[in-house]
Amino acid sequence: MHSGSLESVASVVREAKEIVVFSGAGLSADSGIPTFRDGATGLWNKVDPDEVASIEGFLRNPERVWNWLLQLKKLVDERQPNAGHQALARLQEICRAKQLTVITQNIDGYHSRAGNAPVLEVHGTIHRLRCQQRCGFSADWEQSAAEPFRCPRCGAPVRPDLVLFGEMLDEEVFAAAETCSMTADLFFCVGTSFTVQPAALLPVWAKRAGATVVEVNPHPTSLSALADYSIRSGASEFFTALSAKLAARQA
């Protein structure tokens, strides 16, 4: 990581009033949560996503989808937010006089556990259940709820409150994410490959609206050419260093 880039980004942070951090699966990979595209390992090994993580699969065989997602939830519950999540929470603490919003594609809840708020979970969360028909019923997903059940209000199937393959994003959550992106002065992109639509459009909209876009990723992505700064680094290393530089200036 080039020290000049770090100082330049720190200067942008100091001037910014509204900051967005947009995160993807690469950030949680350091916690041991397998990414969908790393299908050779972990829970995604030898499974058909259409069978275990799609709305069509759920409607065909809710027990199979429920059981597979419960395995994923168990893994998430056993692991912890990593140094990248902690560094982003520290960044928010340092920037408490500014508006900092996390928009995440991840369903693990690690940003909130680390201390960030608000967090817009555009793909939902593995920790909550809801009525398939959206009658208003929702509840925490406890490990004791090991089998699918019917909504106590309307009788429709209850399912994990996350976006399955083949479903649209929650309109209200995504509208809030879009608004934050369009009003941001500074937009960080962390650990995402920018292949999942429409969430991948958020940094593009932010850039068009005048935000400085900073990509933090060990590898080049389709966003690299658009970003004002493309930092070849892991989130833990970069945001720990950035927070330290900002804190030293405040001391």
mmCIF file with all atom_site columns, all heavy atoms in Angstrom, residues 22 26 189-195 200 203 213-227 229-233:
data_model
loop_
_atom_site.group_PDB
_atom_site.id
_atom_site.type_symbol
_atom_site.label_atom_id
_atom_site.label_alt_id
_atom_site.label_comp_id
_atom_site.label_asym_id
_atom_site.label_entity_id
_atom_site.label_seq_id
_atom_site.pdbx_PDB_ins_code
_atom_site.Cartn_x
_atom_site.Cartn_y
_atom_site.Cartn_z
_atom_site.occupancy
_atom_site.B_iso_or_equiv
_atom_site.pdbx_formal_charge
_atom_site.auth_seq_id
_atom_site.auth_comp_id
_atom_site.auth_asym_id
_atom_site.auth_atom_id
_atom_site.pdbx_PDB_model_num
ATOM 1   N N   . PHE A 1 22  ? -19.248 0.543   1.110   1.00 0.00 ? 22  PHE A N   1
ATOM 2   C CA  . PHE A 1 22  ? -20.008 -0.489  0.416   1.00 0.00 ? 22  PHE A CA  1
ATOM 3   C C   . PHE A 1 22  ? -19.171 -1.768  0.430   1.00 0.00 ? 22  PHE A C   1
ATOM 4   O O   . PHE A 1 22  ? -18.074 -1.810  -0.126  1.00 0.00 ? 22  PHE A O   1
ATOM 5   C CB  . PHE A 1 22  ? -20.288 -0.035  -1.016  1.00 0.00 ? 22  PHE A CB  1
ATOM 6   C CG  . PHE A 1 22  ? -20.977 -1.063  -1.878  1.00 0.00 ? 22  PHE A CG  1
ATOM 7   C CD1 . PHE A 1 22  ? -22.136 -1.680  -1.459  1.00 0.00 ? 22  PHE A CD1 1
ATOM 8   C CD2 . PHE A 1 22  ? -20.472 -1.377  -3.126  1.00 0.00 ? 22  PHE A CD2 1
ATOM 9   C CE1 . PHE A 1 22  ? -22.782 -2.610  -2.257  1.00 0.00 ? 22  PHE A CE1 1
ATOM 10  C CE2 . PHE A 1 22  ? -21.105 -2.296  -3.949  1.00 0.00 ? 22  PHE A CE2 1
ATOM 11  C CZ  . PHE A 1 22  ? -22.260 -2.917  -3.507  1.00 0.00 ? 22  PHE A CZ  1
ATOM 12  N N   . GLY A 1 26  ? -15.905 -10.472 -0.019  1.00 0.00 ? 26  GLY A N   1
ATOM 13  C CA  . GLY A 1 26  ? -14.473 -10.550 0.247   1.00 0.00 ? 26  GLY A CA  1
ATOM 14  C C   . GLY A 1 26  ? -14.091 -10.067 1.631   1.00 0.00 ? 26  GLY A C   1
ATOM 15  O O   . GLY A 1 26  ? -13.103 -10.521 2.212   1.00 0.00 ? 26  GLY A O   1
ATOM 16  N N   . CYS A 1 189 ? -15.419 1.254   -1.606  1.00 0.00 ? 189 CYS A N   1
ATOM 17  C CA  . CYS A 1 189 ? -15.861 -0.054  -2.077  1.00 0.00 ? 189 CYS A CA  1
ATOM 18  C C   . CYS A 1 189 ? -14.874 -1.099  -1.559  1.00 0.00 ? 189 CYS A C   1
ATOM 19  O O   . CYS A 1 189 ? -13.678 -1.019  -1.854  1.00 0.00 ? 189 CYS A O   1
ATOM 20  C CB  . CYS A 1 189 ? -15.895 -0.109  -3.594  1.00 0.00 ? 189 CYS A CB  1
ATOM 21  S SG  . CYS A 1 189 ? -16.902 1.178   -4.350  1.00 0.00 ? 189 CYS A SG  1
ATOM 22  N N   . VAL A 1 190 ? -15.374 -2.068  -0.787  1.00 0.00 ? 190 VAL A N   1
ATOM 23  C CA  . VAL A 1 190 ? -14.497 -2.983  -0.060  1.00 0.00 ? 190 VAL A CA  1
ATOM 24  C C   . VAL A 1 190 ? -14.900 -4.436  -0.309  1.00 0.00 ? 190 VAL A C   1
ATOM 25  O O   . VAL A 1 190 ? -16.031 -4.830  -0.011  1.00 0.00 ? 190 VAL A O   1
ATOM 26  C CB  . VAL A 1 190 ? -14.564 -2.704  1.456   1.00 0.00 ? 190 VAL A CB  1
ATOM 27  C CG1 . VAL A 1 190 ? -13.510 -3.526  2.186   1.00 0.00 ? 190 VAL A CG1 1
ATOM 28  C CG2 . VAL A 1 190 ? -14.413 -1.232  1.759   1.00 0.00 ? 190 VAL A CG2 1
ATOM 29  N N   . GLY A 1 191 ? -13.989 -5.223  -0.859  1.00 0.00 ? 191 GLY A N   1
ATOM 30  C CA  . GLY A 1 191 ? -14.195 -6.667  -0.935  1.00 0.00 ? 191 GLY A CA  1
ATOM 31  C C   . GLY A 1 191 ? -15.345 -7.123  -1.802  1.00 0.00 ? 191 GLY A C   1
ATOM 32  O O   . GLY A 1 191 ? -15.988 -8.135  -1.512  1.00 0.00 ? 191 GLY A O   1
ATOM 33  N N   . THR A 1 192 ? -15.629 -6.409  -2.869  1.00 0.00 ? 192 THR A N   1
ATOM 34  C CA  . THR A 1 192 ? -16.705 -6.817  -3.766  1.00 0.00 ? 192 THR A CA  1
ATOM 35  C C   . THR A 1 192 ? -16.198 -6.887  -5.196  1.00 0.00 ? 192 THR A C   1
ATOM 36  O O   . THR A 1 192 ? -15.334 -6.110  -5.600  1.00 0.00 ? 192 THR A O   1
ATOM 37  C CB  . THR A 1 192 ? -17.906 -5.848  -3.672  1.00 0.00 ? 192 THR A CB  1
ATOM 38  O OG1 . THR A 1 192 ? -18.912 -6.248  -4.606  1.00 0.00 ? 192 THR A OG1 1
ATOM 39  C CG2 . THR A 1 192 ? -17.498 -4.415  -3.939  1.00 0.00 ? 192 THR A CG2 1
ATOM 40  N N   . SER A 1 193 ? -16.732 -7.850  -5.939  1.00 0.00 ? 193 SER A N   1
ATOM 41  C CA  . SER A 1 193 ? -16.297 -8.064  -7.322  1.00 0.00 ? 193 SER A CA  1
ATOM 42  C C   . SER A 1 193 ? -17.113 -7.258  -8.322  1.00 0.00 ? 193 SER A C   1
ATOM 43  O O   . SER A 1 193 ? -16.803 -7.258  -9.510  1.00 0.00 ? 193 SER A O   1
ATOM 44  C CB  . SER A 1 193 ? -16.396 -9.553  -7.671  1.00 0.00 ? 193 SER A CB  1
ATOM 45  O OG  . SER A 1 193 ? -17.731 -10.004 -7.533  1.00 0.00 ? 193 SER A OG  1
ATOM 46  N N   . PHE A 1 194 ? -18.195 -6.613  -7.864  1.00 0.00 ? 194 PHE A N   1
ATOM 47  C CA  . PHE A 1 194 ? -19.042 -5.770  -8.719  1.00 0.00 ? 194 PHE A CA  1
ATOM 48  C C   . PHE A 1 194 ? -19.669 -6.543  -9.873  1.00 0.00 ? 194 PHE A C   1
ATOM 49  O O   . PHE A 1 194 ? -19.770 -6.060  -10.984 1.00 0.00 ? 194 PHE A O   1
ATOM 50  C CB  . PHE A 1 194 ? -18.256 -4.571  -9.254  1.00 0.00 ? 194 PHE A CB  1
ATOM 51  C CG  . PHE A 1 194 ? -17.674 -3.737  -8.158  1.00 0.00 ? 194 PHE A CG  1
ATOM 52  C CD1 . PHE A 1 194 ? -16.340 -3.875  -7.797  1.00 0.00 ? 194 PHE A CD1 1
ATOM 53  C CD2 . PHE A 1 194 ? -18.453 -2.858  -7.445  1.00 0.00 ? 194 PHE A CD2 1
ATOM 54  C CE1 . PHE A 1 194 ? -15.801 -3.142  -6.760  1.00 0.00 ? 194 PHE A CE1 1
ATOM 55  C CE2 . PHE A 1 194 ? -17.924 -2.119  -6.399  1.00 0.00 ? 194 PHE A CE2 1
ATOM 56  C CZ  . PHE A 1 194 ? -16.597 -2.255  -6.065  1.00 0.00 ? 194 PHE A CZ  1
ATOM 57  N N   . THR A 1 195 ? -20.094 -7.760  -9.579  1.00 0.00 ? 195 THR A N   1
ATOM 58  C CA  . THR A 1 195 ? -20.769 -8.565  -10.603 1.00 0.00 ? 195 THR A CA  1
ATOM 59  C C   . THR A 1 195 ? -22.239 -8.784  -10.277 1.00 0.00 ? 195 THR A C   1
ATOM 60  O O   . THR A 1 195 ? -22.980 -9.291  -11.119 1.00 0.00 ? 195 THR A O   1
ATOM 61  C CB  . THR A 1 195 ? -20.084 -9.942  -10.749 1.00 0.00 ? 195 THR A CB  1
ATOM 62  O OG1 . THR A 1 195 ? -20.078 -10.600 -9.478  1.00 0.00 ? 195 THR A OG1 1
ATOM 63  C CG2 . THR A 1 195 ? -18.652 -9.782  -11.252 1.00 0.00 ? 195 THR A CG2 1
ATOM 64  N N   . ALA A 1 200 ? -24.183 -3.433  -7.748  1.00 0.00 ? 200 ALA A N   1
ATOM 65  C CA  . ALA A 1 200 ? -22.931 -2.997  -8.354  1.00 0.00 ? 200 ALA A CA  1
ATOM 66  C C   . ALA A 1 200 ? -23.037 -1.616  -8.988  1.00 0.00 ? 200 ALA A C   1
ATOM 67  O O   . ALA A 1 200 ? -22.008 -0.986  -9.286  1.00 0.00 ? 200 ALA A O   1
ATOM 68  C CB  . ALA A 1 200 ? -22.488 -4.017  -9.407  1.00 0.00 ? 200 ALA A CB  1
ATOM 69  N N   . PRO A 1 203 ? -21.725 2.363   -6.710  1.00 0.00 ? 203 PRO A N   1
ATOM 70  C CA  . PRO A 1 203 ? -20.546 3.230   -6.846  1.00 0.00 ? 203 PRO A CA  1
ATOM 71  C C   . PRO A 1 203 ? -20.548 4.033   -8.138  1.00 0.00 ? 203 PRO A C   1
ATOM 72  O O   . PRO A 1 203 ? -20.001 5.144   -8.185  1.00 0.00 ? 203 PRO A O   1
ATOM 73  C CB  . PRO A 1 203 ? -19.367 2.253   -6.787  1.00 0.00 ? 203 PRO A CB  1
ATOM 74  C CG  . PRO A 1 203 ? -19.933 0.937   -7.148  1.00 0.00 ? 203 PRO A CG  1
ATOM 75  C CD  . PRO A 1 203 ? -21.336 0.941   -6.631  1.00 0.00 ? 203 PRO A CD  1
ATOM 76  N N   . VAL A 1 213 ? -14.532 8.097   -5.290  1.00 0.00 ? 213 VAL A N   1
ATOM 77  C CA  . VAL A 1 213 ? -14.709 6.652   -5.139  1.00 0.00 ? 213 VAL A CA  1
ATOM 78  C C   . VAL A 1 213 ? -13.353 6.009   -4.874  1.00 0.00 ? 213 VAL A C   1
ATOM 79  O O   . VAL A 1 213 ? -12.393 6.199   -5.628  1.00 0.00 ? 213 VAL A O   1
ATOM 80  C CB  . VAL A 1 213 ? -15.350 6.038   -6.400  1.00 0.00 ? 213 VAL A CB  1
ATOM 81  C CG1 . VAL A 1 213 ? -15.396 4.515   -6.295  1.00 0.00 ? 213 VAL A CG1 1
ATOM 82  C CG2 . VAL A 1 213 ? -16.760 6.596   -6.595  1.00 0.00 ? 213 VAL A CG2 1
ATOM 83  N N   . VAL A 1 214 ? -13.285 5.255   -3.771  1.00 0.00 ? 214 VAL A N   1
ATOM 84  C CA  . VAL A 1 214 ? -12.062 4.574   -3.372  1.00 0.00 ? 214 VAL A CA  1
ATOM 85  C C   . VAL A 1 214 ? -12.328 3.078   -3.334  1.00 0.00 ? 214 VAL A C   1
ATOM 86  O O   . VAL A 1 214 ? -13.161 2.605   -2.552  1.00 0.00 ? 214 VAL A O   1
ATOM 87  C CB  . VAL A 1 214 ? -11.569 5.042   -1.986  1.00 0.00 ? 214 VAL A CB  1
ATOM 88  C CG1 . VAL A 1 214 ? -10.291 4.303   -1.598  1.00 0.00 ? 214 VAL A CG1 1
ATOM 89  C CG2 . VAL A 1 214 ? -11.342 6.547   -1.982  1.00 0.00 ? 214 VAL A CG2 1
ATOM 90  N N   . GLU A 1 215 ? -11.638 2.333   -4.182  1.00 0.00 ? 215 GLU A N   1
ATOM 91  C CA  . GLU A 1 215 ? -11.753 0.877   -4.180  1.00 0.00 ? 215 GLU A CA  1
ATOM 92  C C   . GLU A 1 215 ? -10.637 0.299   -3.317  1.00 0.00 ? 215 GLU A C   1
ATOM 93  O O   . GLU A 1 215 ? -9.479  0.654   -3.474  1.00 0.00 ? 215 GLU A O   1
ATOM 94  C CB  . GLU A 1 215 ? -11.640 0.326   -5.598  1.00 0.00 ? 215 GLU A CB  1
ATOM 95  C CG  . GLU A 1 215 ? -11.691 -1.200  -5.656  1.00 0.00 ? 215 GLU A CG  1
ATOM 96  C CD  . GLU A 1 215 ? -11.330 -1.756  -7.022  1.00 0.00 ? 215 GLU A CD  1
ATOM 97  O OE1 . GLU A 1 215 ? -10.355 -1.276  -7.630  1.00 0.00 ? 215 GLU A OE1 1
ATOM 98  O OE2 . GLU A 1 215 ? -12.019 -2.677  -7.473  1.00 0.00 ? 215 GLU A OE2 1
ATOM 99  N N   . VAL A 1 216 ? -11.007 -0.614  -2.404  1.00 0.00 ? 216 VAL A N   1
ATOM 100 C CA  . VAL A 1 216 ? -10.027 -1.323  -1.580  1.00 0.00 ? 216 VAL A CA  1
ATOM 101 C C   . VAL A 1 216 ? -10.210 -2.808  -1.854  1.00 0.00 ? 216 VAL A C   1
ATOM 102 O O   . VAL A 1 216 ? -11.179 -3.424  -1.415  1.00 0.00 ? 216 VAL A O   1
ATOM 103 C CB  . VAL A 1 216 ? -10.220 -1.013  -0.083  1.00 0.00 ? 216 VAL A CB  1
ATOM 104 C CG1 . VAL A 1 216 ? -9.164  -1.749  0.743   1.00 0.00 ? 216 VAL A CG1 1
ATOM 105 C CG2 . VAL A 1 216 ? -10.161 0.480   0.179   1.00 0.00 ? 216 VAL A CG2 1
ATOM 106 N N   . ASN A 1 217 ? -9.280  -3.375  -2.602  1.00 0.00 ? 217 ASN A N   1
ATOM 107 C CA  . ASN A 1 217 ? -9.389  -4.771  -3.018  1.00 0.00 ? 217 ASN A CA  1
ATOM 108 C C   . ASN A 1 217 ? -7.998  -5.271  -3.407  1.00 0.00 ? 217 ASN A C   1
ATOM 109 O O   . ASN A 1 217 ? -7.267  -4.561  -4.105  1.00 0.00 ? 217 ASN A O   1
ATOM 110 C CB  . ASN A 1 217 ? -10.348 -4.893  -4.211  1.00 0.00 ? 217 ASN A CB  1
ATOM 111 C CG  . ASN A 1 217 ? -10.869 -6.299  -4.393  1.00 0.00 ? 217 ASN A CG  1
ATOM 112 O OD1 . ASN A 1 217 ? -10.102 -7.259  -4.455  1.00 0.00 ? 217 ASN A OD1 1
ATOM 113 N ND2 . ASN A 1 217 ? -12.183 -6.440  -4.489  1.00 0.00 ? 217 ASN A ND2 1
ATOM 114 N N   . PRO A 1 218 ? -7.624  -6.470  -2.973  1.00 0.00 ? 218 PRO A N   1
ATOM 115 C CA  . PRO A 1 218 ? -6.300  -6.988  -3.362  1.00 0.00 ? 218 PRO A CA  1
ATOM 116 C C   . PRO A 1 218 ? -6.146  -7.206  -4.861  1.00 0.00 ? 218 PRO A C   1
ATOM 117 O O   . PRO A 1 218 ? -5.033  -7.246  -5.370  1.00 0.00 ? 218 PRO A O   1
ATOM 118 C CB  . PRO A 1 218 ? -6.206  -8.326  -2.609  1.00 0.00 ? 218 PRO A CB  1
ATOM 119 C CG  . PRO A 1 218 ? -7.198  -8.226  -1.505  1.00 0.00 ? 218 PRO A CG  1
ATOM 120 C CD  . PRO A 1 218 ? -8.313  -7.374  -2.047  1.00 0.00 ? 218 PRO A CD  1
ATOM 121 N N   . HIS A 1 219 ? -7.273  -7.334  -5.571  1.00 0.00 ? 219 HIS A N   1
ATOM 122 C CA  . HIS A 1 219 ? -7.228  -7.649  -6.995  1.00 0.00 ? 219 HIS A CA  1
ATOM 123 C C   . HIS A 1 219 ? -8.021  -6.618  -7.807  1.00 0.00 ? 219 HIS A C   1
ATOM 124 O O   . HIS A 1 219 ? -8.994  -6.051  -7.314  1.00 0.00 ? 219 HIS A O   1
ATOM 125 C CB  . HIS A 1 219 ? -7.805  -9.046  -7.252  1.00 0.00 ? 219 HIS A CB  1
ATOM 126 C CG  . HIS A 1 219 ? -7.226  -10.102 -6.377  1.00 0.00 ? 219 HIS A CG  1
ATOM 127 N ND1 . HIS A 1 219 ? -5.927  -10.533 -6.507  1.00 0.00 ? 219 HIS A ND1 1
ATOM 128 C CD2 . HIS A 1 219 ? -7.771  -10.798 -5.336  1.00 0.00 ? 219 HIS A CD2 1
ATOM 129 C CE1 . HIS A 1 219 ? -5.694  -11.462 -5.603  1.00 0.00 ? 219 HIS A CE1 1
ATOM 130 N NE2 . HIS A 1 219 ? -6.775  -11.633 -4.875  1.00 0.00 ? 219 HIS A NE2 1
ATOM 131 N N   . PRO A 1 220 ? -7.623  -6.380  -9.057  1.00 0.00 ? 220 PRO A N   1
ATOM 132 C CA  . PRO A 1 220 ? -8.384  -5.461  -9.910  1.00 0.00 ? 220 PRO A CA  1
ATOM 133 C C   . PRO A 1 220 ? -9.795  -5.983  -10.154 1.00 0.00 ? 220 PRO A C   1
ATOM 134 O O   . PRO A 1 220 ? -10.042 -7.189  -10.178 1.00 0.00 ? 220 PRO A O   1
ATOM 135 C CB  . PRO A 1 220 ? -7.571  -5.448  -11.215 1.00 0.00 ? 220 PRO A CB  1
ATOM 136 C CG  . PRO A 1 220 ? -6.220  -5.953  -10.852 1.00 0.00 ? 220 PRO A CG  1
ATOM 137 C CD  . PRO A 1 220 ? -6.416  -6.908  -9.723  1.00 0.00 ? 220 PRO A CD  1
ATOM 138 N N   . THR A 1 221 ? -10.731 -5.044  -10.318 1.00 0.00 ? 221 THR A N   1
ATOM 139 C CA  . THR A 1 221 ? -12.113 -5.394  -10.623 1.00 0.00 ? 221 THR A CA  1
ATOM 140 C C   . THR A 1 221 ? -12.601 -4.510  -11.768 1.00 0.00 ? 221 THR A C   1
ATOM 141 O O   . THR A 1 221 ? -11.861 -3.647  -12.256 1.00 0.00 ? 221 THR A O   1
ATOM 142 C CB  . THR A 1 221 ? -13.027 -5.173  -9.403  1.00 0.00 ? 221 THR A CB  1
ATOM 143 O OG1 . THR A 1 221 ? -13.187 -3.760  -9.194  1.00 0.00 ? 221 THR A OG1 1
ATOM 144 C CG2 . THR A 1 221 ? -12.449 -5.822  -8.149  1.00 0.00 ? 221 THR A CG2 1
ATOM 145 N N   . SER A 1 222 ? -13.836 -4.696  -12.144 1.00 0.00 ? 222 SER A N   1
ATOM 146 C CA  . SER A 1 222 ? -14.407 -3.878  -13.205 1.00 0.00 ? 222 SER A CA  1
ATOM 147 C C   . SER A 1 222 ? -14.568 -2.423  -12.770 1.00 0.00 ? 222 SER A C   1
ATOM 148 O O   . SER A 1 222 ? -14.748 -1.541  -13.608 1.00 0.00 ? 222 SER A O   1
ATOM 149 C CB  . SER A 1 222 ? -15.767 -4.436  -13.635 1.00 0.00 ? 222 SER A CB  1
ATOM 150 O OG  . SER A 1 222 ? -16.665 -4.477  -12.530 1.00 0.00 ? 222 SER A OG  1
ATOM 151 N N   . LEU A 1 223 ? -14.475 -2.143  -11.473 1.00 0.00 ? 223 LEU A N   1
ATOM 152 C CA  . LEU A 1 223 ? -14.589 -0.770  -10.975 1.00 0.00 ? 223 LEU A CA  1
ATOM 153 C C   . LEU A 1 223 ? -13.257 -0.027  -10.992 1.00 0.00 ? 223 LEU A C   1
ATOM 154 O O   . LEU A 1 223 ? -13.225 1.200   -10.928 1.00 0.00 ? 223 LEU A O   1
ATOM 155 C CB  . LEU A 1 223 ? -15.133 -0.781  -9.545  1.00 0.00 ? 223 LEU A CB  1
ATOM 156 C CG  . LEU A 1 223 ? -15.375 0.584   -8.900  1.00 0.00 ? 223 LEU A CG  1
ATOM 157 C CD1 . LEU A 1 223 ? -16.610 1.258   -9.503  1.00 0.00 ? 223 LEU A CD1 1
ATOM 158 C CD2 . LEU A 1 223 ? -15.520 0.463   -7.386  1.00 0.00 ? 223 LEU A CD2 1
ATOM 159 N N   . SER A 1 224 ? -12.162 -0.757  -11.105 1.00 0.00 ? 224 SER A N   1
ATOM 160 C CA  . SER A 1 224 ? -10.834 -0.164  -10.906 1.00 0.00 ? 224 SER A CA  1
ATOM 161 C C   . SER A 1 224 ? -10.580 1.045   -11.806 1.00 0.00 ? 224 SER A C   1
ATOM 162 O O   . SER A 1 224 ? -10.023 2.051   -11.362 1.00 0.00 ? 224 SER A O   1
ATOM 163 C CB  . SER A 1 224 ? -9.761  -1.221  -11.128 1.00 0.00 ? 224 SER A CB  1
ATOM 164 O OG  . SER A 1 224 ? -9.896  -2.281  -10.202 1.00 0.00 ? 224 SER A OG  1
ATOM 165 N N   . ALA A 1 225 ? -11.007 0.952   -13.049 1.00 0.00 ? 225 ALA A N   1
ATOM 166 C CA  . ALA A 1 225 ? -10.750 2.057   -13.976 1.00 0.00 ? 225 ALA A CA  1
ATOM 167 C C   . ALA A 1 225 ? -11.591 3.281   -13.654 1.00 0.00 ? 225 ALA A C   1
ATOM 168 O O   . ALA A 1 225 ? -11.198 4.411   -13.964 1.00 0.00 ? 225 ALA A O   1
ATOM 169 C CB  . ALA A 1 225 ? -11.016 1.603   -15.411 1.00 0.00 ? 225 ALA A CB  1
ATOM 170 N N   . LEU A 1 226 ? -12.733 3.092   -13.008 1.00 0.00 ? 226 LEU A N   1
ATOM 171 C CA  . LEU A 1 226 ? -13.624 4.192   -12.680 1.00 0.00 ? 226 LEU A CA  1
ATOM 172 C C   . LEU A 1 226 ? -13.234 4.883   -11.373 1.00 0.00 ? 226 LEU A C   1
ATOM 173 O O   . LEU A 1 226 ? -13.458 6.076   -11.198 1.00 0.00 ? 226 LEU A O   1
ATOM 174 C CB  . LEU A 1 226 ? -15.064 3.673   -12.575 1.00 0.00 ? 226 LEU A CB  1
ATOM 175 C CG  . LEU A 1 226 ? -16.148 4.666   -12.163 1.00 0.00 ? 226 LEU A CG  1
ATOM 176 C CD1 . LEU A 1 226 ? -16.416 5.662   -13.304 1.00 0.00 ? 226 LEU A CD1 1
ATOM 177 C CD2 . LEU A 1 226 ? -17.431 3.933   -11.794 1.00 0.00 ? 226 LEU A CD2 1
ATOM 178 N N   . ALA A 1 227 ? -12.644 4.116   -10.457 1.00 0.00 ? 227 ALA A N   1
ATOM 179 C CA  . ALA A 1 227 ? -12.350 4.633   -9.120  1.00 0.00 ? 227 ALA A CA  1
ATOM 180 C C   . ALA A 1 227 ? -11.305 5.743   -9.164  1.00 0.00 ? 227 ALA A C   1
ATOM 181 O O   . ALA A 1 227 ? -10.379 5.724   -9.981  1.00 0.00 ? 227 ALA A O   1
ATOM 182 C CB  . ALA A 1 227 ? -11.868 3.504   -8.224  1.00 0.00 ? 227 ALA A CB  1
ATOM 183 N N   . TYR A 1 229 ? -9.347  6.282   -6.566  1.00 0.00 ? 229 TYR A N   1
ATOM 184 C CA  . TYR A 1 229 ? -8.216  5.579   -5.946  1.00 0.00 ? 229 TYR A CA  1
ATOM 185 C C   . TYR A 1 229 ? -8.545  4.092   -5.954  1.00 0.00 ? 229 TYR A C   1
ATOM 186 O O   . TYR A 1 229 ? -9.615  3.695   -5.511  1.00 0.00 ? 229 TYR A O   1
ATOM 187 C CB  . TYR A 1 229 ? -7.992  6.037   -4.499  1.00 0.00 ? 229 TYR A CB  1
ATOM 188 C CG  . TYR A 1 229 ? -7.672  7.502   -4.355  1.00 0.00 ? 229 TYR A CG  1
ATOM 189 C CD1 . TYR A 1 229 ? -8.688  8.429   -4.148  1.00 0.00 ? 229 TYR A CD1 1
ATOM 190 C CD2 . TYR A 1 229 ? -6.354  7.956   -4.423  1.00 0.00 ? 229 TYR A CD2 1
ATOM 191 C CE1 . TYR A 1 229 ? -8.410  9.784   -4.021  1.00 0.00 ? 229 TYR A CE1 1
ATOM 192 C CE2 . TYR A 1 229 ? -6.065  9.309   -4.292  1.00 0.00 ? 229 TYR A CE2 1
ATOM 193 C CZ  . TYR A 1 229 ? -7.095  10.211  -4.089  1.00 0.00 ? 229 TYR A CZ  1
ATOM 194 O OH  . TYR A 1 229 ? -6.806  11.556  -3.968  1.00 0.00 ? 229 TYR A OH  1
ATOM 195 N N   . SER A 1 230 ? -7.620  3.293   -6.453  1.00 0.00 ? 230 SER A N   1
ATOM 196 C CA  . SER A 1 230 ? -7.788  1.847   -6.450  1.00 0.00 ? 230 SER A CA  1
ATOM 197 C C   . SER A 1 230 ? -6.651  1.263   -5.622  1.00 0.00 ? 230 SER A C   1
ATOM 198 O O   . SER A 1 230 ? -5.506  1.151   -6.082  1.00 0.00 ? 230 SER A O   1
ATOM 199 C CB  . SER A 1 230 ? -7.769  1.303   -7.886  1.00 0.00 ? 230 SER A CB  1
ATOM 200 O OG  . SER A 1 230 ? -8.237  -0.023  -7.944  1.00 0.00 ? 230 SER A OG  1
ATOM 201 N N   . ILE A 1 231 ? -6.965  0.923   -4.375  1.00 0.00 ? 231 ILE A N   1
ATOM 202 C CA  . ILE A 1 231 ? -5.949  0.509   -3.404  1.00 0.00 ? 231 ILE A CA  1
ATOM 203 C C   . ILE A 1 231 ? -5.842  -1.008  -3.422  1.00 0.00 ? 231 ILE A C   1
ATOM 204 O O   . ILE A 1 231 ? -6.804  -1.720  -3.130  1.00 0.00 ? 231 ILE A O   1
ATOM 205 C CB  . ILE A 1 231 ? -6.323  0.973   -1.983  1.00 0.00 ? 231 ILE A CB  1
ATOM 206 C CG1 . ILE A 1 231 ? -6.684  2.461   -1.971  1.00 0.00 ? 231 ILE A CG1 1
ATOM 207 C CG2 . ILE A 1 231 ? -5.210  0.657   -1.008  1.00 0.00 ? 231 ILE A CG2 1
ATOM 208 C CD1 . ILE A 1 231 ? -5.548  3.374   -2.300  1.00 0.00 ? 231 ILE A CD1 1
ATOM 209 N N   . ARG A 1 232 ? -4.647  -1.523  -3.761  1.00 0.00 ? 232 ARG A N   1
ATOM 210 C CA  . ARG A 1 232 ? -4.406  -2.962  -3.774  1.00 0.00 ? 232 ARG A CA  1
ATOM 211 C C   . ARG A 1 232 ? -4.008  -3.410  -2.374  1.00 0.00 ? 232 ARG A C   1
ATOM 212 O O   . ARG A 1 232 ? -2.840  -3.535  -2.035  1.00 0.00 ? 232 ARG A O   1
ATOM 213 C CB  . ARG A 1 232 ? -3.310  -3.314  -4.790  1.00 0.00 ? 232 ARG A CB  1
ATOM 214 C CG  . ARG A 1 232 ? -3.700  -3.087  -6.222  1.00 0.00 ? 232 ARG A CG  1
ATOM 215 C CD  . ARG A 1 232 ? -4.749  -4.114  -6.675  1.00 0.00 ? 232 ARG A CD  1
ATOM 216 N NE  . ARG A 1 232 ? -5.484  -3.605  -7.845  1.00 0.00 ? 232 ARG A NE  1
ATOM 217 C CZ  . ARG A 1 232 ? -6.684  -3.089  -7.779  1.00 0.00 ? 232 ARG A CZ  1
ATOM 218 N NH1 . ARG A 1 232 ? -7.319  -2.999  -6.635  1.00 0.00 ? 232 ARG A NH1 1
ATOM 219 N NH2 . ARG A 1 232 ? -7.305  -2.655  -8.860  1.00 0.00 ? 232 ARG A NH2 1
ATOM 220 N N   . SER A 1 233 ? -5.035  -3.670  -1.561  1.00 0.00 ? 233 SER A N   1
ATOM 221 C CA  . SER A 1 233 ? -4.810  -4.011  -0.161  1.00 0.00 ? 233 SER A CA  1
ATOM 222 C C   . SER A 1 233 ? -6.031  -4.722  0.383   1.00 0.00 ? 233 SER A C   1
ATOM 223 O O   . SER A 1 233 ? -7.141  -4.568  -0.147  1.00 0.00 ? 233 SER A O   1
ATOM 224 C CB  . SER A 1 233 ? -4.537  -2.740  0.659   1.00 0.00 ? 233 SER A CB  1
ATOM 225 O OG  . SER A 1 233 ? -4.513  -3.012  2.052   1.00 0.00 ? 233 SER A OG  1
#
